[in-house]
Amino acid sequence: GAVVSQHPSWVICKSGTSVKIECRSLDFQATTMFWYRQFPKQSLMLMATSNEGSKATYEQGVEKDKFLINHASLTLSTLTVTSAHPEDSSFYICSAPATGRNTEAFFGQGTRLTVV
Amino acid sequence: LAKTTQPISMDSYEGQEVNITCSHNNIATNDYITWYQQFPSQGPRFIIQGYKTKVTNEVASLFIPADRKSSTLSLPRVSLSDTAVYYCLVFRGAGSYQLTFGKGTKLSVIP
C-alpha cells in the first residue's frame, strides 16, 4: 500500500532554534498534505493544509510565521518549527490522501519533537 | 462536520469480539464514516470506511443503521496487539480529505 514517510522520527533541540520535519509520499503523488499535532493523551489536532505549489492553509490559532510549511514538490512537504520553545514539544504527524480513493488517508509515523 | 461521540475507553479479554459504537447525530447526506487505529507514538492507520449498512474487510466490520446517526466498529477475536486508540471520524466525501479527530476510544486488551 501507499506509504508516507516522516523524517526525523524524533528530534531534540534547544529553545530558540528551528527544526525542519519532512513528510514524503513514497509511491504516490500528493498535491495536498496535512499536518497535525498531538499532545500526550490527546487527540490529533489539524494544524494546516499543505498545498503543492501554493501557500498552506492554517487552522485558526496556528501561527503561520512560527510553523512554516513548504510543499515544493508532489512528494514532499516540510514543516519548520521556528524559534522553538518547550511548549512546542509535541508529536507532529503528516498525512496524505490516497490517490483515487477519496476515503483513505495515509499517515506518516510521526515526529516526536522535544524542545529543551 | 458532524461531531462524533464515542466511549473514552474499553477493556476486553483476548479472543473476544469488541464493538465500539460512535454517535454522529448531525451527519449530513454527503458524509462518510471512517475509522482509524493509532498505536502509541505512531501515526493513525486506516481501518475501514462506510456510508450505510454493513462493510467488512479483513480486519473489521462496520455497521451503520439506516438513519446513519451512529456506527459500530466490530473487531473479531481481539488480541493483545489490538490495544490501541480507535477514532471514529465523519468526513465530507467527494474529494474532501481533511479529517477531524475526536477523542477516540482507548481499547485495552487483557490476556
Side-chain angles (χ1 to χ4, degrees), chain B residues 2-51:
Chain B
K3 181 181 175 182
T4 59
T5 303
Q6 50 184 124
I8 296 296
S9 64
M10 293 181 70
D11 293 336
S12 175
Y13 288 103
E14 273 191 295
Q16 289 189 330
E17 177 184 78
V18 171
N19 296 309
I20 306 174
T21 297
C22 176
S23 66
H24 25 80
N25 291 320
N26 297 322
I27 192 168
T29 304
N30 292 339
D31 291 342
Y32 288 76
I33 300 150
T34 187
W35 286 78
Y36 281 77
Q37 173 193 57
Q38 185 182 28
F39 297 113
S41 297
Q42 292 187 29
R45 186 181 67 143
F46 172 84
I47 301 175
I48 198 166
Q49 179 223 267
Y51 182 80

Side-chain angles (χ1 to χ4, degrees), chain A residues 14-83:
Chain A
K14 291 185 177 180
S15 289
T17 62
S18 296
V19 173
K20 179 185 286 187
I21 302 170
E22 294 185 345
C23 179
R24 295 181 184 272
S25 56
L26 296 186
D27 54 358
F28 66 103
Q29 294 181 334
T31 56
T32 301
M33 291 186 178
F34 301 96
W35 286 96
Y36 295 83
R37 180 167 53 182
Q38 185 175 33
F39 291 108
K41 299 188 184 304
Q42 294 188 25
S43 186
L44 286 78
M45 295 295 294
L46 179 66
M47 297 176 67
T49 302
S50 173
N51 304 299
E52 187 269 333
S54 64
K55 291 182 179 180
T57 304
Y58 291 82
E59 295 300 300
Q60 189 173 7
V62 178
E63 300 175 56
K64 66 180 191 313
D65 294 329
K66 180 170 183 62
F67 298 100
L68 302 179
I69 291 173
N70 185 282
H71 196 150
S73 77
L74 288 171
T75 59
L76 174 64
S77 174
T78 60
L79 169 67
T80 301
V81 183
T82 63
S83 187

